Each structure stands twice: as structure tokens, then as C-alpha cells.
Amino acid sequence: MSLAIPQTPQRPLPGAYRQTPGNRPPQQPQSNQPKFGAPAATTSQQHGLQQGQTSGQHNQQNGQVAGKLQAADLEPVERASRTINEALIRETQYPELDSYISQGISSDYDISSQLAWAPFQRTKMYDIPEKIFDQYNRAQMSTLMGLFADLNHAWVAIDNALYLWDYTQPDPPLIGFEEQQKQITAVELVTPRAGVFVPTITRLLVVATSSDLHLVGLASQPAPTGGQSVALYSTGMQISIKGINVSVITGSTITGRVFFANSDSDDVYEITYQQEERWFQNRCARINHTGKGLNTFTPVPLLGFGSKTPHEHVINMVIDDTRGLLYTLSSRSAIRVFSMTANNGLSLVITRPLGATLRDISHMPNAQSELLSVNMSIISIDPITSREASKMHLMATTSTGCRIFMSATSASSFYSSMAGTQSAPNSMQVQHVRFPPLDSARPPPSQQQQSSQMTPYGNNAGANNSSKLLIPTRAAQRFAPGYFFCFVPRDPQSPADTLFLSAPDSGRIARSQDGSRSSRYPELGMWLGIGARAEAVGLVTAPFRATSSPQGFANELAVQYDQPASEIAVLTNSGVHTFRRRRLVDMFASTVRIRGGDEGLEAEMKIFIRRYGRGETASTTLAVACGQGVDVTSDARVAKITDPEVLEVARKAYIEYGGKPQFYENNVLDQSVSAIDMVQPSPRHEGLSLYIARLVRSIWKARLVQEGMSPTTGLVVMPAVPMPKLQSISQDLLKLKEFLNTNKSFIDGLSGPDALGRASTKQEEISLQAEHRALHSQVLLIDNIIEGIAFIQVLFDERIEEIILSLSPETRQQVRNLTYEGLFSSSHGRGLAKELVKAIVDRNIANGSNVETVADALRRRCGSFCSADDVIIFKGQEQLKRASEAGSDSELGRNLLNESLRLFTQVAGALNMEQLQWAVQSLANLQFYAGAIQLALTVAHEVDRGNKALSWIEDNRPEQDPRAAAFEARKRCYNLIHDVISTLDNNPPNIADGQYSSSVRRRTEAYEVIDTSEDEAFQTDLYDWYLQQKKKDKILDIQSPYIVNYLQRRANLDREIADLLWRYHSRVGHNHQAAEVQLSLARSEFPLTLDDRIEYLGRAKANASMPSPGISRQTRYQLSREVGDLLDIANIQSDILQRLTNDDRVAPERRPAIAEELNGQLLPMNVLYNQYADQAAYFDLCILIYQIADHRNPTDIRAAWQNLLDRTHEETLQRLENEGPKPYEAVAEKVRSLGTRLNLSDTMFPIPDILLLLERYAFEFQNGVGPETWVIDTLLDVGVPYESIFPVLEGMFYNDEAPFQGRNRRYIAADIVYVVKLWFQDSLRGKLGILGGEANAVAVSQCLLMVQQSGIDGTRVEECRDLRVRIEQMLR
């Protein structure tokens, strides 16, 4: 039973108002230490670069050239675009986690004494509000704390009350949950299941108390003062958990499933919730996925009877949504892996005790260590998603500070990967152990900054496995792509934690793919004192992701200018600390600031080049010189470094340490490859390419626009990339352009011919030429990108929906598919941009704007998109617009027309066909026929200046001749002239008072241009056209607005004219108007037979379904619906006519009158039903009339079907002697025929009623006649699905409907077995699973069991049993 429960939010919770600490009932004081727990973070998808191209190898100094295509074959911008694509491809080839955390151990850390090399930077510390301490001082039982970092909120649970506050705001208001009176034991924020709550409820707050578990809706939105504002809403969902001391809660971000565990056992529970109550299913319930026997029903463990080990319980629980796995960590350091399946399924697939983990480690070389013994424990686990690593699944952190990386595999994983599926793992192995840093880097307990000693990178003779620096590790957490936060209480006398932070050194890992020597897993580390005990840690920003696949996922270098740096918050019992990940560009900028000067710069540059290579170093220095470096100011603000000294040092470093191009002379084997193509550009060029690629990576492959539909405004066009993002990229590129322009005299390759004068050898000269070509291409691409972004901004400043709709369908589709790469670097993209510019100008002209203003604005912001010829064309269009407003008969109007003709003639070679067509039509509409014809002739001459079309005509027009294309180009212009001539002929001159008017003069001018034309190809084509006008159907070829009006005036009086009208409409593509004429003919009073009217309706239906210019889809649908309904009525009328003509019950003298009434005009449905179909007992036609009339009375429909079966049976018996169909065959054929015509309508062809009627008919009238399964075969022949037949038979079997009672149930049982047998056989050949799904299969199996037990015939029993066994086997 489904209860109508309103969706949340219903009402705010008591205590959800600000500063509302509620009264707590008196309870016995009890101490409870605050726990450390990681809050659930919502996964926010960030778009990385998805490359669909073949990966290319990075150009090394081993003789490879910069590409296989010859650069001379490319335009400069295309060459630069290819370089950007190669750089982006290299970025996606960043090693995946499995490649540098492989089998073995490691302990490589860089813990530098320099602040500049710190991997993280503390940005700010926020104090806990005094209101919280006031409530804390009144606590009676327990206190818990935690973070919702992605919402910038922290929470504290004091006894029975829960309070949230925005820790980034001064004196923030408290949001309270005080509705219940029990002690709170756990709190978690999860993502709700889709569709259960209203869209404003984006998160779900799970609050566990000592007796109940509550689900509270949480809505968040950006606050005006920054951060997020949060509101809590009651959902009315809670379950009882008495006896279950919930301590751990987690939730799936994708599916919305919520799991929890208690502190008394290792059982895993799930809370299920849904929007409404259903039969046997409450809105909210709990499932014990691991309990057995009585423990499944009784939460309290019964010692000695079905209970688990009393002391082992779950202390950590995490979910990997990408693999559908749930991991748990027990108090005995046992790791369990559960597979999450559909229908709230959860199965334990792996149990990994601590001994098995240590046994795996013992088999690794040099892994024997006292840090990894039975005396230590695993304190936390963190999942590694399939996006980050294909093999690695989990990282476990021990109490000794070791990180254990594990992979899980399945015996069927190979076959699953071949089939494109993912199977649950069944084994887990240790792949890598990461030991703590060396003891030599141990910080003193009171240390508040980084260590003063540095653990050198790469100097380890072997991995150190004995460091006790991280003992005891109290809590730890890992964030992608490898950020490690480890909390160590160093001072036994103080509860304060010391924080050890580490992060992968992405630059060195990226360089390892180039074959350079590098540590297997280099990390940067640092120490920080936080002065208090850590309670929670969480990710403030979206989870890091450079790509969606393991390869390239962790490339922090690729996104350092494209995504905000990761930020992590740490909650302590005194406040919230926020830490920001420092990018490589930030480290270099800080290094320059701290160790400025020539000597310091040289030392740091050597370190950078040795670690990261010259190309990456050049890219970093260039970024700092362009203002990309960021640091935390004294007032805790994150701001860009604009110190002139820092920028100057970075500029100097980019110029002086940018390297030189290299010429590989030995690779020049023949003359097919030019010497310049054998030059490898300098690292300076590589750094510039890297910097540009990283700036534009998020938009390079993205489309310009995305379209949608709004119910109120119709088409909605939005930018595929947000405009602020485009503006940010444009500003960064403008700074880069300014930097290159300012320093081009100092950069080899941009300094011009002066650099060539300094070349001492030919090889150096060639190298400098190649360097100039490469750098110049990049400079041109920068200009194109800046102008392209400005053009997009101009485009969206206009009414872009109107602009898009004004384009042709083909152009519009091309604009939809156009990417930013195509716009910036391809001729096709530039061509589409010009089409958009034209549409912008046309719209402004139509709105009365001045074309000079529009064109100047376009040239100023994106000059390359609006050429000088374009401006002249726009001016000509404006002159025509002004002439139309002034009137063609005025002197001003004539002067404007002459000026527009002069402008168009000046740029005749630049006019495309669409522009020419508009100009010619505009001139003709203004009766400037001579100008229209002259312009078309001029453009025809420009498109074929060599007069190839004439020579092709003189050679008798040979087929497959390339000159035919020139003639076709001219022919398109000539066709416009034909239209002008047709307009002249359809507008005869007026004679007033015996004198010719101005129209005669205009006709004379037009024909004078035609007669005096020296274009022989035009004259030939004109004569051909004149000859075509002598055909009888000439009127159908006339392109005039008057012909339609003429035909419409005569169509109502003459059937032949009406026929000519719809033929004309069909000829010119006006299918909608043709259908309207044909519909009016079918309804007309013309003496037409019923077959003629049906023919007209058939043609009208075909035309109405075809597109027609200027006709909306809704209008076409309405007409098509009207024609279709009338055609159905006409067909029924034709059926009645034929039946009555051959019906023996009709008297012979009555038949002519009936034929006269029916074989003419179309009759209404009520007349056909009441006077003919119903009276003549044509029940199948009655049902068809019900369908057309939308008559949905089930009683009438059921009675009609019953009468139809009875009537068919009686008629067949009357005709049946020794030959002819048997009654059941006639009934079956009638059902097939009518079912096909009704298209199995649920209303007119009700399966439950029809099946019951047929079964009764077969039992009562045809028992033992024909095949036993003819009823089922008939319905299957019509196309009724098994899913519709089986429930009806099942209901008949269970309900004992008459006459199928007692032993008569075996007839229904036999049909059930027959249907299931066919269904099962068909499903084995399909792709939808056994019997359409597991739920169907279970229901069928249960039904077969009941059928088997009902006492059916012996052979059927065996068949039923075998069938059920096969289904059961498939379900396992």
C-alpha cells in the first residue's frame, strides 16, 4: 500500500534556528573521548582533458624531430596547434599510481628546511566560537566533534544536541538539532538517494543516538557573505537501534546507500529509506548484512549463543563507489571487503586479518622491520578509486606510521574485463609499503614549523625501514592524488598532536616517464605543530582529478593554472586549521623571493633543472614572470605574487636558462625533408608550449555552445565553458602576450633578423630559423586565442538564440560541433565565425543599428573575424535597409539603391551565395530589377574569370569534366536572374492617361541589361530557360508569390484547379499547404467517391508528416492528427460499406440507398456507430470507433469483445459444414486482425479481459478442439509480451476464477507452464537477463512451485519441475 507522504522539507527542525541550545534531560555523567573521523566529502566532477588522439612520444635529444609531418606543410597557427595537442597528450601520459607504487618498499622524502619547498602552506586558523564552549561546559555525558569541510562547516554533538556553524565566518550563528532526547553517538553527512527528496535537499545528515538513528535533510546554497549557508529539514525518517551503539557511519555518493556499524561487534548494517511506504516495506528500515541466526533479528549479542567475538568491532568504514566496494577495519586490524550489489545487496568477499597482511609483507625484500609486527595495529584505511589506479584498491595506515598499499583481484577479472563488466574481488595482496621518513628529520615536540634538517632526495642507499619518527600515529588520512596527513602525539605530557604532511612530487614523477633517473615514489614532506588534539580532517575543495582515467589522473602540474589548489581543513579542540597545497609555480616563486640574487638564482635553477628538466623549468619560470605565483599574505589571504623583484628574477631565468635549439644534421638523409625540420626547438619553446597548453586545457577540446529547450522561452543557447573561465584564460594570455612583446628583443627566435647576424655557422642559422618559426607560430596562436575568446564574449553579448536560429540547418549543426581548438586554429572554424559575424550584423541591421558602430566594435575586439570586405558588405546591406525605409520611388531611395549596388560590385568576389541571394532579392523587391540582374552577372564573372563554363558548353558539355563545376557556380547566379525575370513577367506595366508609368521604365532598364550582356554563357542558359517555359506544366515551375494566391482563389470552384494547387505546393516543398488542400478536397461537396476521398486523405497524411518551411512542428502535428483521424473514419466507413453490400441480412432493394449514403461524403462517427455498426452487430468496427472517439468505458469495451467472440463463434458455426475454418480458428484470426489494427492499445485491447474471455471461450465452447495452447499462441502472434500474459494467468490461477476452479485450474496451469517455457527460451537468446530480470525470475519460480504442487498432469509436472530447476540455476 502506497501512502502519500509529502516530500521534504516539511518544516525546520526545532533548534535549526540560530543560537538555540535546547534543554537536556538530567543524565548520569559519563566521560567519552572525542573521536577522530574523516567526514564524507561530496565528489565534485572536474573536467579534465580527454584526448581522443593517438598518443605521441615526447621529443627527446636522441635525434627525433618534432613530428613526422613536415612543418613546412602546415600554416603557422596549425603548427602551433599541433604543438599544443602534443603537449596535452604528454600531460595525459603522466604515470598512473600503479607504475610508481609497485611491488616493494620505499621511504623517499624531501623534508626541507626551506619554507619555499614545503608541499603545504597553512592559510588560516579559525577559532571555535565561544557559544560552543558555553554549551560544552554544560555537557553531562559526551561530546563529539567533526567537519563538513566542503560546506565550510564544523559540528559538535553535546549530549543529545547537535550544533553546526560556519567556521569561516566571525561569530557565526549556530544551527541546532535538538529534537530528540538521547545521547548522540555518531554523526555523518552523506549524499541522499536520487528521487527521494526534493532537489533542494542535496545532503543527508545521519545522526545516531543511543536508541534511534535519524535522517535529517540538509540544504546548502552560496551565502551572500561567502561560503555556504546551511538549513536543516525534518524528513520524518528514523529507525530504532536500541542495543546497537553506533560508532561509524558512511554513505555512497552515487547510490545514496547508508551503512553503519557499532562498537560491540563487526556487523555491518544498512539503513534503507524511500519516499513513500509500500506493502511490507516502511519508509525507513535497517538491514544487518553480516549477522547470522538470532543475531540477525536481535541487535544485542547473546554471549554463548550466536554471538561474535565480544571485543572485535568496526572502527573505520569507507566506500569506493567506482568499484562498488565497502571496506571495513576492525579493532583487531582486520580488513573486510564487501561488494555492493543491486537491490540493497551487500556480500562479504574478502576477509583480511592482520596476520595475512604481515605475511605478505614478510615476503618482500628488505621489508622486515619492527615497525611491522603483531604489536602494531592498523588505525585507518583509505580507498583508492579506479579512476586513480587500475590495480591499487586501498591504503592502510599503521600505528607506526607505515602506509600499506593493497590491491584486490578476482579470479574472473580477466574474463570480466573482456566482457566489459566488473566482478567483485576475492583476494587481496600487499603491493607496497611506505615507511616513515628518517629519524634524522625528527622534529622537537614543540616545533611549529618545518624541520631544520633536510632528507636529501635520491641519496638513500636503500629504503629505510626502521624510522620511529611517526610513532605513535594516532590518526591519518589520504586524499587523492596522494596527500597524506598523519597526526602524531609526540609529547606524552601533552595531548597536542604534531602534524606530518606529505605529497607526491608530481614534477619528478612526470619526468620519470621521459626515462630520467628518479626515485620510484618521491614525496615532499613537512612538519607542523597544531598545538591541540586533532578531531577531524576534511577536503574543502573538490576532490583532485586531472583526468578520468588512472593515466594522467595525478598530474598536478597539468592543472595548476586550470583548477584551484587543493585545500584541506583540520579540526582540533581549539579551532579549524586550513592548509593549501602549494603548486610547483608557487614553490619557485617563494624560492626566488627567499633566495634572490644571481648566486641564489643559479643554485636554485640547477636544482630545478636537475629535478624537473629544462622544459618544465622554463614553463615554471615563465608562469611566475606572468604573475601565476601565489602565496599567503600576512593577513591570511591567498594572493598572487606581484613583487617586481620576483617577476624580474623569473623573467631573467626564463631568458637566460631557456636553452638553445638543436640541429640533428645526421638525420638529413635525403632532400625530401628540409634541414629546418631537423631542428629540435629549445626548452624555452617547450616551456612556452606547456604554459599555453595548461592555460587552455579545459577549453581546447570543449564545444563553444550547448543548446537546450525551455518550456517558456523555447531554444536556450548557453556557453559550454563559463564566461568567467574564458575571461580568466584571456587575461592570463594577455599577460603572456605582453611579456613576449616586452622581452622579444632578448629572446632568440623573437628578436628578428638581428639574431641571425650573431650566427657563426650555417647550422646555428638554421637552428635560429626553426626556433623563430616555432615561437612565431605560438605568438600567432596566442593572438588567435585572445581574439577567439573576445569573439565568444561578443557573441553571447548579443541575443544568441536569434543568431543561431537565423543560420541554415547545416551551418547550425556545424556551430554545435565546433570546438575552441577549431575556432582558434582551423580555417573551417574561422569560416563558421564569419557566418556568425554576418548573423550578428544582420540582426543589428534589422533592429535599426548603425553598421559602422557594429563593425567597428567587432574589429576593435576581434579584428581578424571581421575583414575589410566584410565591412563593405555590411555597409551595402545597410544601404539597402535604408532604401527600403525611404521608399524606392523617392530620390533618396534611388540614390541609396545605386550606392548599395556600387558597394556590392566592389566586393563581388567576396560575396557568398547566401549574401548574393539576399542582395538580389532585396533589389528586386525594391523594383531595382536592372541592379539585381547586373549584380548577379558581375558575381558570375568573378566566380569564373577564366570563362571555363563557356568552353565546357562549346564542347557539348562532357560528363565528369572539371569545367562543369565552373558552370554550376555560374548557374546559381543565373537562377537568381530567372527569378527576377519571372517577377517582371508577373507584374505587367501600368498605363495611366495614355502614358507609361515608372514600372515600364524599370522593365526597359532590366531587359536592356539582359540584352546588352556580353556573358555568352548567361545568354545560353537564358535561352534554355525560355524553352522550358513552353511546357504544359509551366505554371508549376513559376517562382512567384502570386501563383499561389491565384490557385487558392479558384480551388473552391474547380476540382482540377484544386488538384493543381496541391501539386504546386508539393513541387515547391510546401507540404503542409498541400496537405491542407487535399484535406479540404476530401471534405468538399465535389462529387467524389469514397475511394477518391480516401486517396486524398492518404496523400494529405503523407504531406502533413513532411517538413515545410515556416511551419512549426506543433502545427504539422495538429494537421497530421486531424487527417489521420479522418482517414480512420473513412476506412471504417469503407468497411461498413463493403460489409453491408455483402450482408445477407440487407434487403436487395435497400442496398443502392445504403451505397449512395456511404459512398460519398464522410459521415460523422455517431452516425456510423448508431445507424450502421451497432445496428448491424459489427462489434469489431464498434471497438475501432471507440478508439477513434477515445471512448474509454471498460464495461462497454469488455461487452463489445464478449459480443465479438460470441458473434464470431455463431457465424462460424452457421457456415461450418465439412469445410472452412473452425470456430476457434475464426476467433483467433479475428483477435489477431483487430489487435494489429488497435496497435495493442491498453484501453481497447485490454490483455486481462481478452485473455480471460478467450480462456473461458476455449474451455466452454472449444474444449478439446484444436491445439491446447491456441489462446496463448494467438496473443503471442499479435505481439503481446510475456510480461503481460504471465501476471494475468498467475492471477487467474491464484484467484480460482470461474470456471477455473478445483481441477479445472490445471488448464490455466498448463498455459502458465507453456508461457514460461517460451519466455525462458526467448530470454536465453536476449540481453535483458533471464525472464527480463531477477525479480521476474523469482516470481516465476515461485508460481511454478505452486503450479507443481497443484496436481497437474504427470507430464506437465516433470516439465514444470525441470523448468523451475533451470530458472533456479540461472538465478544463482
Side-chain angles (χ1 to χ4, degrees), residues 244-406:
I244 304 177
N245 185 19
V246 177
S247 58
V248 182
I249 305 173
T250 190
S252 169
T253 303
I254 295 179
T255 63
R257 299 177 66 178
V258 180
F259 301 93
F260 61 92
N262 63 3
S263 58
D264 300 321
S265 70
D266 59 353
D267 287 341
V268 175
Y269 299 85
E270 179 178 2
I271 176 172
T272 62
Y273 54 97
Q274 58 189 9
Q275 184 177 348
E276 298 178 349
E277 291 187 0
R278 301 173 184 171
W279 283 105
F280 310 110
Q281 193 172 8
N282 296 326
R283 292 185 67 202
C284 197
R286 80 168 187 264
I287 303 173
N288 186 347
H289 287 289
T290 56
K292 298 179 181 179
L294 293 179
N295 198 34
T296 303
F297 306 96
T298 305
V300 181
L302 303 178
L303 296 179
F305 188 78
S307 64
K308 297 181 182 295
T309 304
H311 300 294
E312 185 176 16
H313 60 276
V314 176
I315 63 173
N316 197 2
M317 188 160 47
V318 293
I319 289 178
D320 181 358
D321 275 318
T322 62
R323 294 185 173 98
L325 298 178
L326 169 70
Y327 304 95
T328 66
L329 175 64
S330 76
S331 57
R332 293 188 174 184
S333 300
I335 298 173
R336 292 178 174 87
V337 184
F338 297 83
S339 175
M340 299 186 295
T341 57
N343 300 321
N344 296 326
L346 187 73
S347 57
L348 176 63
V349 293
I350 299 174
T351 299
R352 187 75 176 178
L354 178 60
T357 301
L358 295 176
R359 186 167 54 252
D360 280 0
I361 297 175
S362 65
H363 295 160
M364 293 182 178
N366 302 323
Q368 304 297 329
S369 171
E370 60 180 336
L371 301 179
L372 299 172
S373 65
V374 294
N375 296 324
M376 67 85 181
S377 62
I378 297 177
I379 62 167
S380 68
I381 54 176
D382 296 284
I384 301 175
T385 66
S386 62
R387 295 191 183 98
E388 187 176 359
S390 56
K391 298 178 182 178
M392 214 71 69
H393 282 59
L394 190 71
M395 188 196 82
T397 305
T398 69
S399 58
T400 57
C402 297
R403 284 175 278 171
I404 303 173
F405 292 87
M406 300 181 178

Side-chain angles (χ1 to χ4, degrees), residues 10 30 71 234 708 769 880 889 1295:
Q10 301 177 30
Q30 179 180 352
S234 173
Q769 290 175 352
L880 275 180
D889 292 332
N1295 296 334

Side-chain angles (χ1 to χ4, degrees), residues 1252 1256 1288 1291-1301 1308:
L1252 179 58
R1256 286 178 177 173
V1288 179
M1292 294 170 62
F1293 180 82
Y1294 287 134
N1295 296 334
D1296 286 337
E1297 294 185 9
F1300 305 104
Q1301 297 171 335
I1308 301 301

